């Protein structure tokens, strides 16, 4: 890796921790998460978007991985999609209490907004202030409406130390680039051209590896979300190899 970053500051993984059957080099013993965590140093928990989990489940996940492993956690759709950030404080408190059960294994909290959710400065500022009152850790946002990709939104995100996701495929050209707080780069790769299914060509992964190696930031996460066909696992391994050799 580039000299300004240690491997502890680079995290590559997938959404969830499913292991396709064709990957025979994965350790055969243990749960899927045990085995997965011997290959990658992070995973994105997406199930939290759909439902709440018992605190014992979060604790079990934390106890199943090595000390240097971290999870990012996707915020519930009740907050991002139903309430469109204008949620009740209790909704946010309950979710954060669950996620914080991961303790030292907790990485960024991810808020993915629906494509229909336009940038409302007043609502966003109120939500960010409430969120920061409750949580001081890393936060990343993945907006998908074109109105979010303006300097006013970037300034607001940065003022609350919130990073904007660099996404592929990008719904608008600016969505491919990170913005907001610059000390955390969080890439979400959904698969292209067939979202959630397509594997990435090695030429794309080589370009991505070069961009990551050149990006000056405190921490970098790269999460492959093209899991529907099992492509995410292989793409993550290739990127891992490319960056290890950089």
């Amino acid at each position: 890796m580039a000299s300004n970053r240690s491997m502890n500051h680079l995290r590559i993984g997938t959404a969830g921790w499913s292991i396709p059957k064709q990957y025979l080099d994965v350790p055969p013993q243990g749960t899927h998460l045990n085995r997965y965590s011997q290959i990658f140093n992070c995973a994105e928990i997406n199930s939290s978007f759909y439902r709440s989990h018992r605190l014992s489940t979060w604790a079990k996940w934390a106890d199943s991985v090595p000390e240097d492993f971290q999870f990012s956690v996707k915020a519930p759709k009740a907050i991002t999609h139903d309430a469109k950030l204008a949620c009740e404080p209790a909704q946010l408190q309950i979710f954060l209490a669950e996620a914080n059960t991961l303790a030292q294994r907790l990485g960024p909290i991810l808020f993915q907004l629906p494509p229909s959710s336009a940038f409302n400065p007043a609502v966003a500022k109120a939500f960010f202030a409430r969120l920061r009152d409750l949580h001081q850790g890393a936060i990343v946002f993945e907006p998908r409406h074109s109105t979010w990709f303006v300097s006013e939104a970037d300034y607001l995100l940065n003022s609350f130390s919130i990073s904007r996701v660099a996404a592929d495929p990008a719904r608008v050209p600016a969505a491919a680039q990170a913005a907001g707080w610059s000390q955390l780069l969080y890439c979400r790769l959904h698969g292209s051209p067939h979202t959630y299914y397509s594997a990435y060509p090695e030429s794309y992964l080589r370009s991505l590896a070069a961009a990551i190696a050149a990006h000056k930031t405190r921490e970098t996460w790269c999460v492959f979300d093209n899991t529907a066909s099992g492509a995410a696992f292989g793409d993550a391994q290739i990127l891992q190899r490319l960056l290890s050799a950089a």
Side-chain angles (χ1 to χ4, degrees):
M1 278 303 300
S3 60
N4 66 324
R5 181 188 295 126
S6 73
M7 288 299 288
N8 288 336
H9 293 161
L10 172 65
R11 297 190 180 275
I12 299 171
T14 67
W17 42 84
S18 177
I19 303 172
K21 293 179 180 178
Q22 65 266 33
Y23 291 95
L24 302 178
D25 56 335
V26 178
Q29 302 301 320
T31 66
H32 267 67
L33 180 54
N34 294 144
R35 298 163 63 214
Y36 171 97
S37 66
Q38 295 179 59
I39 305 296
F40 301 117
N41 62 359
C42 72
E44 186 181 274
I45 297 175
N46 281 180
S47 57
S48 50
F49 176 75
Y50 300 100
R51 62 186 182 277
S52 179
H53 295 294
R54 295 178 179 178
L55 297 184
S56 59
T57 298
W58 293 93
K60 182 179 179 181
W61 288 336
D63 290 342
S64 298
V65 297
E67 283 189 9
D68 63 348
F69 190 98
Q70 285 194 341
F71 298 92
S72 58
V73 181
K74 190 174 182 180
K77 64 178 181 179
I79 294 172
T80 56
H81 288 53
D82 299 338
K84 292 182 170 56
L85 303 183
C87 62
E88 295 295 327
Q91 288 178 291
L92 199 51
Q93 291 169 338
I94 291 169
F95 162 64
L96 290 172
E98 292 183 9
N100 279 317
T101 307
L102 294 170
Q104 298 303 312
R105 309 293 190 275
L106 177 61
I109 303 288
L110 165 68
F111 293 83
Q112 185 194 52
L113 303 183
S116 61
S117 188
F119 176 55
N120 182 317
V123 170
K125 185 175 182 179
F127 178 78
F128 294 160
R130 185 182 306 121
L131 177 59
R132 276 304 182 202
D133 283 343
L134 297 169
H135 186 73
Q136 300 305 307
I139 299 170
V140 294
F141 256 65
E142 185 180 10
R144 291 183 285 175
H145 193 279
S146 60
T147 54
W148 275 89
F149 301 93
V150 295
S151 58
E152 182 182 3
D154 291 345
Y155 177 82
L156 187 60
L157 287 164
N158 187 55
S159 67
F160 285 95
S161 300
I162 296 172
S163 302
R164 194 186 75 206
V165 165
D168 183 83
R171 288 177 174 266
V172 300
Q177 304 300 320
W181 192 55
S182 63
Q183 295 306 303
L184 171 62
L185 172 62
Y186 196 101
C187 304
R188 291 193 88 217
L189 304 167
H190 302 290
S192 181
H194 192 183
T195 305
Y196 306 126
Y197 286 86
S198 294
Y200 286 96
E202 186 162 334
S203 57
Y204 176 90
L205 297 175
R206 287 188 179 279
S207 296
L208 177 63
I212 289 173
H215 197 95
K216 297 185 186 301
T217 188
R218 238 182 250 170
E219 188 170 4
T220 296
W221 284 61
C222 191
V223 175
F224 288 89
D225 189 32
N226 50 338
T227 56
S229 64
F233 195 91
D235 286 349
Q237 281 193 309
I238 293 171
L239 182 63
Q240 191 179 58
R241 287 197 297 268
L242 290 171
L243 282 166
S244 293

